[in-house]
Amino acid sequence: MKKNNDHTAISKWINSIEKGQIRSLSQAITLLESTRVEDQNRARNLLEGALERLNKTGPTPTIRIGISGPPGVGKSSYIESLGMHLLSIGFRVCVLAVDPSSRVSGGSILGDKIRMERLSTQVNAFIRPSPSQQVLGGVTHATQSIMSLCELAGYTVILIETVGIGQSEGAVADMVDCFVLLNQPGSGDELQGIKRGILEFADILLVNKMDGATKYLAQQTLQSLRSTSQLINHSLKNYQVPIIGVSSIEETGISESWQAVAKFLEQATSIGYFEHKRQLQQEQWFKKLSEFYWLQYLHSAKHSTPLKNMLLKEMQSGKISILEAAQKFTRSLLNN
Ligand SMILES: Nc1nc2c(ncn2[C@@H]2O[C@H](COP(=O)(O)OP(=O)(O)OP(=O)(O)O)[C@@H](O)[C@H]2O)c(=O)[nH]1
Ligand SMILES: [Mg+2]
């Protein structure tokens, strides 16, 4: 009986998400972000119901864009300007934040900084700050699930803000259709630094703060990036990564940057690269979920406590190494 009640409640919940009710969507996201074991079944039922509904409505038209760059480069400001532009041309915009640094700093990208004041008051925009709980690697296992809920709620563009500080970009790049990298006005030397790691993920390169006191430096940076653009080896054949100057504050270059995104998506779709990326997104999602379930199993496997205690004792008395202990423990769980 209780199960049936739950089923009906979840079905109603999904209905109101589909109708675009923000409160229902927010509550659903909170449930998906929950790391409490007792929430997992409901979260799963909700997500499965939502995915079923999405499948019925056919391939989703929602575009997923990752926006990355170093702290303070203007990601939130750019998202606000781009978001307003997208609303003006008829999109419904959802903003999500993935904060790889919050595990260390306990902070949140949107928490106490720019709150996207204009965008957040628009009826066709939904902004969800970074959750406080994060999983290893910084990208939450829930982000993919949340994107699906936002699709169900009728958002046609999802913008994901993430700080570009290293390893997390690859994971975020695999979750989106287009990855936009913002650069600071700065010296050529700094650019060399950026190039090594993260440039390879970028589908679009922007230089922000092309205004006021930083305009000249930004222009130099733009030129310097353009002069090295042949070094960028994009995995989409014959695709030249566009390098565009923008001012998120003065709102210049914003619509040009969106045209670049649209053009990239068009080109990517025409040769099947878009589909390929969507498959990568599914793989990434599968991997993140498996890791999540595995960690949950690891922490909740009560039957393994005696073995764990024994191994800890052996380790502490120097009988076995810490590596051996951890390996033995993991293997024993796998065999159960
Ligand atoms: N002059 C100028 N300042 C800008 C521009 N965009 C952002 N800023 C300023 O740069 C600072 C950081 O902007 P944010 O949008 O918070 O940058 P962010 O990359 O989201 O920062 P984190 O989320 O902390 O990594 C703020 O003081 C903004 O006002 C721009 O186009 N021109
Ligand atoms: Mg920000």
Side-chain angles (χ1 to χ4, degrees), residues 36-312:
R36 288 163 34 155
V37 176
E38 56 272 32
D39 284 337
Q40 297 313 312
N41 271 344
R42 283 184 85 215
R44 197 180 135 176
N45 290 340
L46 179 79
L47 183 62
E48 273 175 353
L51 290 177
E52 213 172 281
R53 202 69 70 86
L54 270 177
N55 279 341
K56 272 193 197 136
T57 53
T60 132
T62 303
I63 303 166
R64 303 164 172 188
I65 314 284
I67 311 233
S68 191
V73 67
K75 298 176 291 295
S76 303
S77 311
Y78 173 70
I79 288 174
E80 165 134 292
S81 294
L82 178 66
M84 293 302 290
H85 172 68
L86 292 174
L87 291 178
S88 78
I89 55 175
F91 285 100
R92 296 191 72 220
V93 179
C94 168
V95 180
L96 304 175
V98 173
D99 185 355
S101 60
S102 74
R103 224 172 178 273
V104 183
S105 68
S108 157
I109 290 182
L110 304 172
D112 34 334
K113 296 192 188 155
I114 287 190
R115 287 177 179 274
M116 302 184 190
E117 273 157 15
R118 282 182 302 149
L119 198 57
S120 59
T121 59
Q122 305 294 315
V123 276
N124 285 325
F126 173 72
I127 300 176
R128 179 74 180 192
S130 178
S132 53
Q133 292 275 356
Q134 300 281 330
V135 292
L136 262 177
V139 180
T140 73
H141 73 275
T143 305
Q144 293 274 14
S145 317
I146 294 169
M147 287 200 285
S148 298
L149 288 187
C150 294
E151 286 180 3
L152 185 66
Y155 293 97
T156 46
V157 175
I158 299 176
L159 303 171
I160 305 185
E161 172 173 349
T162 181
V163 178
I165 52 165
Q167 297 153 343
S168 62
E169 291 82 24
V172 174
D174 285 349
M175 292 196 314
V176 295
D177 304 319
C178 179
F179 192 66
V180 178
L181 180 64
L182 263 77
N183 295 276
Q184 285 277 20
S187 72
D189 288 351
E190 286 163 45
L191 291 177
Q192 296 301 318
I194 307 172
K195 235 178 4 229
R196 298 285 152 252
I198 155 167
L199 274 193
E200 67 180 279
F201 298 117
D203 300 313
I204 314 278
L205 281 175
L206 303 180
V207 177
N208 192 31
K209 309 194 182 180
M210 191 74 77
D211 56 53
T214 46
K215 190 168 184 172
Y216 179 68
L217 205 53
Q219 268 162 349
Q220 278 191 325
T221 307
L222 193 67
Q223 272 165 15
S224 157
L225 260 181
R226 281 183 177 154
S227 70
T228 54
S229 65
Q230 73 281 4
L231 296 178
I232 307 171
N233 200 1
H234 195 276
S235 46
L236 178 60
K237 223 172 153 210
N238 298 329
Y239 177 70
Q240 183 71 43
V241 174
I243 304 170
I244 300 165
V246 298
S247 163
S248 305
I249 300 283
E250 291 184 353
E251 301 192 11
T252 53
I254 305 296
S255 88
E256 195 187 344
S257 69
W258 178 251
Q259 278 162 19
V261 171
K263 204 169 151 201
F264 166 72
L265 292 174
E266 216 179 276
Q267 205 171 326
T269 307
S270 71
I271 60 150
Y273 182 77
F274 183 87
E275 262 313 300
H276 166 71
K277 274 201 139 182
R278 284 270 157 143
Q279 262 168 22
L280 278 183
Q281 290 171 23
Q282 290 283 325
E283 278 173 34
Q284 178 80 353
W285 192 3
F286 170 79
K287 204 174 130 209
K288 289 281 154 201
L289 269 175
S290 304
E291 283 168 5
F292 175 70
Y293 284 135
W294 171 239
L295 278 178
Q296 230 181 23
Y297 176 61
L298 189 72
H299 293 307
S300 64
K302 298 250 181 325
H303 61 272
S304 63
T305 309
L307 175 69
K308 182 159 60 185
N309 290 341
M310 190 191 84
L311 288 169
L312 279 175

